[in-house]
Amino acid sequence: MMRVTGAMALSAVLALSAAACGGDDGGSGGDGNSVTIGFLGDLTGENSGIVIPPKQGAQLAIDEYNATNPKVKIVLKTYDSQGQPDQATSLVQSAIKSDNIVGLIGPAFSGESQQAVPVLEEGKIPNISASATNVTLGEKGWKYWHRVVGNDSMQGTGVAEFLVREAKAKKVFVAHDNEDYSKGLADYVTKGLKEKGVTVEQDVVDPRASDYSSTVNKAKAFKPDAIFYGGYYAQGGRLLKQLRENGVDALFASGDGSLDKGLIEGAGEKNAVNTVVSCPCLIDPTGESSPASKKFAEAYKAKYNSEPAIYAAEGYDAATAFIEAIKAGNTTTEAINEFLKTIDVPGVSKQIKFDDKGEPAGGDVYIYRVEGKELPLLGKASEAKLQ
């Protein structure tokens, strides 16, 4: 399909969505017996390991809902952005124009959200991300945007407190790849560390490069107590491997974009051991936080033959928000969006409730640690122990 860009694209979307949605009241996007919800994110790209779990979580919630034989069923249609903002934008245009979606779970990444959400705003399509954490997303004044995961400010503060308390860090080397997500998180971690009197040095890596020797040499010369990488697992694994192979043995920490076994595979099990990863997401297969977590984990494993991974619970909760709206009789985009302003129901990861900016009304930051080939939960950042 030919890609349309710029003001022409937005105008086209407006016209098309207005025609499809039947005016300001918003369209039902279905045949009366069903509506279509989209899921957009990197489903086949280099970092798809952190997007497939929330897609599967969302599908599980919708399958459970449809199995109750409701009056209006939900069809989940996926859109593979491969993590590319330009591709995400054109896919959103197609979702509105061709598929008449009444809501979207996503975009998954912060960078693609920056470009694709304005199109969703123009089309008046309510959207809920399970994983985009850049702080500025909540500062745009968007009316149809929501997320069910805490932002980078919340995560950065939690990580900084954890590194100072548990790693006794006085010098921390912080690296990122200068993308919206990674730089945002790295900057908030840096801010939190400096507020606690920690000396910080930052560096930028090229996410497309394979040789990180420049950054490794800077880290080695800095002699940090800990290293924080604010990017995705594919690059984080390569950086960690090269740090260890060059004798840098400081505690390696990263954020939610690295909460995937791909980090271990990229670095090698020996190099990755004891690496800690933070996330405002909850992976709790044993049900330590709530019985709902265990029930969800059992259903997820039964359906997909694997334990729930990063953002799986948040994907389930994002879908649940739409399900609750439709169960209450709302099938138009505007009605669903109005319902989301008042939703207040228990979710798997947290209470599903949004503030007036679309941010989640609650939540915690959690710490996970590499043990063998797994990344088990250590606990909340405010309580987790390294020993």
Side-chain angles (χ1 to χ4, degrees):
M1 184 181 70
M2 183 180 292
R3 179 168 163 264
V4 185
T5 60
M8 181 181 294
L10 294 179
S11 298
V13 168
L14 272 174
L16 289 165
S17 63
C21 296
D24 290 341
D25 292 337
S28 63
D31 55 7
N33 297 317
S34 68
V35 294
T36 299
I37 300 289
F39 181 100
L40 186 145
D42 179 0
L43 294 171
T44 60
E46 189 176 37
N47 291 298
S48 59
I50 57 178
V51 178
I52 291 173
K55 188 270 287 184
Q56 293 187 159
Q59 186 68 67
L60 174 61
I62 289 170
D63 287 350
E64 290 177 347
Y65 164 73
N66 286 338
T68 65
N69 197 27
K71 181 179 179 181
V72 179
K73 291 191 174 184
I74 300 173
V75 175
L76 183 68
K77 186 172 179 60
T78 58
Y79 302 90
D80 181 10
S81 68
Q82 296 186 316
Q84 302 301 316
D86 287 348
Q87 192 159 321
T89 301
S90 62
L91 286 169
V92 164
Q93 292 165 354
S94 176
I96 299 171
K97 173 186 174 183
S98 301
D99 300 325
N100 204 19
I101 61 171
V102 297
L104 182 82
I105 300 171
F109 292 166
S110 296
E112 58 191 10
S113 295
Q114 299 278 11
Q115 294 194 26
V117 173
V119 179
L120 292 162
E121 287 285 306
E122 295 276 3
K124 298 182 178 180
I125 304 297
N127 52 108
I128 307 174
S129 180
S131 52
T133 59
N134 186 278
V135 172
T136 63
L137 298 177
E139 300 171 345
K140 305 284 189 182
W142 291 331
K143 297 179 179 179
Y144 296 83
W145 174 88
H146 313 75
R147 60 181 159 200
V148 290
V149 64
N151 64 32
D152 292 338
S153 175
M154 176 183 174
Q155 185 178 180
T157 300
V159 176
E161 291 178 353
F162 175 78
L163 291 176
V164 171
R165 187 188 75 243
E166 287 299 307
K168 312 300 181 190
K170 298 185 184 304
K171 295 175 66 179
V172 177
F173 187 86
V174 176
H176 61 84
D177 63 15
N178 219 25
E179 298 292 336
D180 286 325
Y181 158 67
S182 60
K183 185 178 188 305
L185 178 57
D187 285 347
Y188 277 102
V189 172
T190 297
K191 179 175 182 287
L193 289 167
K194 287 185 174 179
E195 288 175 350
K196 294 183 174 302
V198 177
T199 301
V200 181
E201 181 171 311
Q202 266 204 22
D203 194 42
V204 177
V205 302
D206 181 350
R208 295 168 292 278
S210 58
D211 180 3
Y212 293 154
S213 58
S214 174
T215 297
V216 169
N217 289 336
K218 290 177 184 176
K220 194 170 184 177
F222 187 59
K223 298 179 179 178
D225 301 308
I227 297 169
F228 182 85
Y229 178 65
Y232 295 113
Y233 65 83
Q235 294 76 27
R238 290 200 290 270
L239 175 61
L240 175 55
K241 182 176 189 291
Q242 293 174 36
L243 284 165
R244 295 296 188 248
E245 290 178 345
N246 284 276
V248 182
D249 59 1
L251 174 69
F252 189 87
S254 192
D256 52 314
S258 291
L259 186 53
D260 184 87
K261 293 178 182 178
L263 177 73
I264 305 170
E265 294 164 2
E269 190 175 330
K270 182 180 178 182
N271 294 323
V273 67
N274 291 329
T275 289
V276 294
V277 182
S278 63
C279 189
C281 63
L282 179 62
I283 306 173
D284 182 25
T286 62
E288 290 184 19
S289 62
S290 74
S293 288
K294 186 175 182 179
K295 181 181 179 183
F296 164 71
E298 290 173 347
Y300 186 97
K301 188 171 183 178
K303 183 174 180 63
Y304 299 112
N305 194 32
S306 65
E307 299 284 356
I310 182 169
Y311 297 131
E314 284 74 15
Y316 188 93
D317 286 349
T320 297
F322 282 121
I323 289 168
E324 291 295 323
I326 292 163
K327 282 169 64 177
N330 304 292
T331 57
T332 67
T333 61
E334 290 283 27
I336 291 171
N337 200 55
E338 286 300 309
F339 179 87
L340 294 179
K341 295 178 180 177
T342 61
I343 190 171
D344 189 1
V345 300
V348 172
S349 66
K350 62 181 68 65
Q351 189 76 4
I352 302 173
K353 183 179 181 180
F354 304 104
D355 68 15
D356 58 2
K357 295 181 179 179
E359 297 275 14
D364 290 294
V365 177
Y366 298 91
I367 301 294
Y368 302 81
R369 180 169 62 185
V370 174
E371 294 181 8
K373 297 180 181 179
E374 304 295 330
L375 280 150
L377 173 67
L378 278 188
K380 295 179 182 177
S382 58
E383 302 169 352
K385 303 291 184 185
L386 276 178
Q387 301 299 322

